Amino acid sequence: FKRLPLKVESKDELYQMGETFNHMIDLLESNFEKQKLFVSNASHELKTPLTIIESYASLLKRRGANDPKLFEESIEAIHSEAIRMKEMTEQLLMLAKHHEGWNINRSHFNLVELVQQTVKNFQSAYHRKIDLDGDVLSNITIQMDEQKLKQLLFIFLDNARKYSDDMIMVSLGKEREEVCIRIMDRGIGISEDELPKVFDRFYRVDKARSRKSGGTGLGLPLAKEIAEAIGVRVTLESKEGIGTTVSLNIQL
Ligand code: ADP
């Protein structure tokens, strides 16, 4: 905003001040509404796993001692809902801080190694085959927040895992002054109508599927914030029933 003058010299200036002031109020109101909606959505989303935990815990209390099958099932449900809640709380905390409050630690590192390592860690954590195409490149040194870039890659790999059953493909390419990391899946894809909404907080095309695979609806919004904070350009292309390709472009 233009700083408001301390002394008003003319009618025009007074009018301009009024305009600026109105604009500021509109902006504050809209931010306040967004915050309110965020808090209300977050509470609602956290309440769901809590309700499930509560009901299984009360079942366990009543009948758990005499019913081994119920015991097993309840512990399983409580465990997975607790993990989901933990994940959601961590994502919420990060989003609440917004990227202005994040510590960005830039360092020099080899991007090829980082992608290879992240893919390897992901494969062993989820036992999913990933085809990594980028062996031709041996060394691309960049300066960036390494941890945040790993986190970004993880979010997109995790989505590829959740919404496809086939092999996930990752490629790394260099073109003039830019590097591009691509994460491709041949999964359920996203329809044209839904595509613009998937970066909205808590938005899920299919809530049930997202839930079953441990989704929170906060992965893509968080990815958007991280990408902005560390200077990565993200493009998401998708075709329903065909698959999704995410491109991460980094300026060298
Ligand atoms: P979630 O935790 O539900 O996966 P995200 O914010 O990461 O939340 O993604 C939002 C929604 O976008 C998902 O619920 C899903 O419907 C859709 N989506 C994201 N990535 C993919 C993908 N690779 N293939 C198909 N749908 C996807």
Side-chain angles (χ1 to χ4, degrees):
F1 284 113
K2 245 183 15 208
R3 190 175 273 279
L4 298 176
L6 290 176
K7 215 170 106 204
V8 180
E9 304 279 357
S10 67
K11 258 190 183 169
D12 271 358
E13 236 172 40
L14 193 63
Y15 176 77
Q16 258 179 13
M17 263 176 76
E19 286 283 285
T20 313
F21 196 62
N22 274 340
H23 187 49
M24 278 165 79
I25 298 279
D26 284 350
L27 207 73
L28 279 173
E29 263 178 7
S30 121
N31 277 343
F32 185 62
E33 283 307 313
K34 272 190 208 150
Q35 286 288 349
K36 249 173 51 185
L37 188 70
F38 180 54
V39 172
S40 125
N41 280 342
S43 320
H44 178 78
E45 295 290 338
L46 283 170
K47 221 174 141 191
T48 316
L50 260 181
T51 310
I52 299 175
I53 290 175
E54 191 191 19
S55 62
Y56 272 107
S58 92
L59 260 180
L60 271 181
K61 214 167 137 191
R62 277 187 284 126
R63 301 188 352 235
N66 311 316
D67 190 339
K69 202 165 157 256
L70 175 85
F71 184 84
E72 188 84 6
E73 189 191 317
S74 310
I75 294 292
E76 189 60 46
I78 289 173
H79 186 226
S80 72
E81 290 302 318
I83 290 175
R84 234 168 66 78
M85 273 189 80
K86 188 170 161 238
E87 166 97 5
M88 202 186 286
T89 316
E90 278 163 8
Q91 289 175 326
L92 279 170
L93 278 173
M94 253 195 110
L95 277 170
K97 266 195 185 171
H98 198 259
H99 62 76
E100 277 136 36
W102 297 347
N103 280 333
I104 303 291
N105 298 311
R106 283 158 68 87
S107 64
H108 287 279
F109 59 91
N110 181 359
L111 181 66
V112 184
E113 259 173 39
L114 177 125
V115 173
Q116 283 168 341
Q117 195 58 47
T118 312
V119 163
K120 206 169 136 200
N121 293 347
F122 191 86
Q123 284 192 126
S124 51
Y126 293 105
H127 309 289
R128 267 294 282 273
K129 185 105 185 70
I130 300 180
D131 177 43
L132 177 61
D133 172 25
D135 290 344
V136 267
L137 305 165
S138 59
N139 191 340
I140 306 174
T141 304
I142 61 165
Q143 195 188 10
M144 188 174 269
D145 188 318
E146 198 176 345
Q147 284 313 314
K148 297 236 162 27
L149 181 61
K150 265 192 204 164
Q151 212 178 346
L152 194 61
L153 284 171
F154 230 84
I155 293 175
F156 291 116
L157 284 172
D158 202 31
N159 279 351
R161 170 191 72 85
K162 288 187 292 192
Y163 304 108
S164 76
D165 301 315
D166 264 356
M167 183 149 57
I168 301 165
M169 288 143 294
V170 176
S171 76
L172 189 60
K174 191 175 162 192
E175 242 178 65
R176 273 174 265 148
E177 295 304 296
E178 236 179 32
V179 208
C180 181
I181 310 167
R182 283 208 173 85
I183 300 155
M184 290 161 277
D185 68 69
R186 295 195 209 98
I188 58 172
I190 306 164
S191 73
E192 223 176 294
D193 292 349
E194 308 276 0
L195 207 54
K197 304 180 217 159
V198 292
F199 285 93
D200 292 349
R201 291 171 183 189
F202 301 111
Y203 190 82
R204 280 151 287 181
V205 177
D206 177 348
K207 266 202 167 193
R209 176 156 186 158
S210 160
R211 257 196 96 67
K212 239 170 76 190
S213 50
T216 59
L218 292 173
L220 290 184
L222 191 56
K224 193 175 146 205
E225 299 279 346
I226 296 173
E228 258 176 43
I230 63 173
V232 175
R233 201 175 77 246
V234 175
T235 325
L236 198 145
E237 294 158 278
S238 193
K239 277 220 157 68
E240 202 175 7
I242 307 273
T244 303
T245 301
V246 177
S247 309
L248 307 181
N249 285 75
I250 300 166
Q251 205 95 47
L252 288 174

